[in-house]
Amino acid sequence: LSLLVDIRVLPEALDVIIEQAELLVQRRAAARRAVGEMVPSSPEEDSAALLAVVFGHPAAWQSTRVRAEQLQANLHGLLSPEARALTQHRAREISLEALAAGRAAYR
């Protein structure tokens, strides 16, 4: 991700962010299956914040936006209205450059 942002290949960088969001959701599902109970919801919130970064970026490919919309639809029922509002707020504070440099706070 860092290299893609450094060389300004932004559509590919945004696609990588979607992949990260998908992996966070998959890890959450695996954790639920493993322990058979609720685990903290931060992966969904982190994924939703990553998706919001992609939605807000003009360099996102249409195919990347479609994947983001699909994942967002899956996450919608898992997040409370308060958590959805929080993720939108967090996304406004996260830049693509901060994500690439590892400075953004997501898991």
Side-chain angles (χ1 to χ4, degrees):
L1 180 60
S2 179
L3 176 62
L4 293 173
V5 171
D6 287 348
I7 63 172
R8 306 305 292 167
V9 186
L10 300 182
E12 286 86 351
L14 294 165
D15 203 45
V16 167
I17 291 171
I18 294 299
E19 291 174 13
Q20 290 174 335
E22 289 171 339
L23 287 172
L24 286 169
V25 171
Q26 290 171 4
R27 273 195 244 152
R28 162 75 173 201
R32 279 185 176 162
R33 285 191 301 271
V35 298
E37 60 187 49
M38 292 297 292
V39 294
S41 63
S42 61
E44 283 92 348
E45 293 169 5
D46 291 341
S47 293
L50 290 173
L51 294 176
V53 170
V54 171
F55 283 129
H57 204 287
W61 286 324
Q62 180 62 29
S63 60
T64 302
R65 290 183 192 278
V66 168
R67 285 175 59 204
E69 289 169 2
Q70 291 169 341
L71 187 54
Q72 186 178 47
N74 291 339
L75 291 173
H76 186 68
L78 300 174
L79 297 173
S80 68
E82 296 81 15
R84 287 193 297 272
L86 177 63
T87 61
Q88 291 298 316
H89 175 73
R90 286 176 59 203
R92 285 190 294 273
E93 297 177 351
I94 300 172
S95 71
L96 183 56
E97 290 75 15
L99 279 173
R103 294 188 314 260
Y106 78 94
R107 297 184 202 301

